[in-house]
Structure formats: C-alpha cells, structure tokens
Amino acid sequence: PKQFLALGRKPKSASGSRMNKTEAEWSQMLEDRRIAGDVLHWSFEPIKVRMADNTFYTPDFLVVRASGELELHEVKGAFVMDDARLKWKMVAEHFPAKLVWAQKMKGGAWNVELS
C-alpha cells in the first residue's frame, strides 16, 4: 500500500478506512524510520482491541521497532475528543505494548507521549 503514496492516493487499512492528512504525515515519518533501520515494520489500523462489550479501540498504527518491541501509535490533530484520550489511557493500562500518543499541535509541532 505504501507505493500508492507516490501516486497521490491514501492507502486503505484492513478496516477499509483511509488516512487523514495528519496520519499520512506520521506514516511518512514511520517510513523514514523504517528506511533508517529504527523500525522493522509498520501498518495502518491493522488491529482492533476489544475493551468491553461493543467497545473497541483501533490504534492508528502498529509499529515493530528494530528491537522487536511492539508499539501502538495514536495520531491526533490539535483538537481531540475526550473519549479518544480515555480509551488510549485504558488500553495503556491493560495491553502488553508501548503506546504512543502523537498529537500535531496548532503551529505544526508534534507533542508525543509514551505510556
């Protein structure tokens, strides 16, 4: 799917959704890190984490670091709904992976938090 970026298309995920502009920017950073050898693999929305009956969390990116460590990345713009942050915090407490919250702030800087 990454080859579609060169054609100006947004890659579809396993769930059928498409990356927004902020997610596409983060995916380019992940691809740069893959080329540099820091990341072995990344994919867009490949999994859903079941939190409770009819409640799921779909991380934006699944990332496998060069060390073999698994990360779930959540990418947001400057304005975030409270439920997104709450789900991320709940998953961070119960899921055996490092969670990364990447928020693109007004003005273009990234605010990155790790769980």
Side-chain angles (χ1 to χ4, degrees):
K2 294 172 195 66
Q3 68 270 18
F4 294 146
L5 290 175
L7 300 175
R9 299 182 193 140
K10 295 180 180 178
K12 280 191 172 186
S13 70
S15 65
S17 64
R18 295 179 181 266
M19 287 186 209
N20 62 36
K21 186 176 175 182
T22 306
E23 292 162 342
E25 186 176 334
W26 191 257
S27 74
Q28 184 59 58
M29 184 273 307
L30 289 173
E31 183 60 13
D32 292 345
R33 288 171 131 186
R34 188 192 66 76
I35 291 167
D38 184 42
V39 167
L40 291 178
H41 173 79
W42 65 270
S43 54
F44 178 65
E45 294 186 347
I47 63 170
K48 282 187 176 189
V49 177
R50 185 172 184 252
M51 299 174 64
D53 290 342
N54 299 317
T55 305
F56 295 88
Y57 168 71
T58 303
D60 293 320
F61 295 94
L62 173 73
V63 178
V64 180
R65 305 291 298 225
S67 64
E69 185 176 24
L70 181 68
E71 295 179 349
L72 302 179
H73 291 205
E74 186 65 30
V75 177
K76 298 292 181 195
F79 302 100
V80 179
M81 301 294 286
D82 289 339
D83 68 325
R85 187 75 161 162
L86 179 61
K87 281 184 178 181
W88 182 79
K89 287 181 178 185
M90 289 175 62
V91 170
E93 292 177 12
H94 302 289
F95 198 79
K98 181 187 289 184
L99 269 72
V100 175
W101 179 273
Q103 187 172 3
K104 184 148 188 193
M105 306 308 287
K106 206 170 183 181
W110 286 97
N111 178 35
V112 179
E113 295 177 39
L114 307 175
S115 70

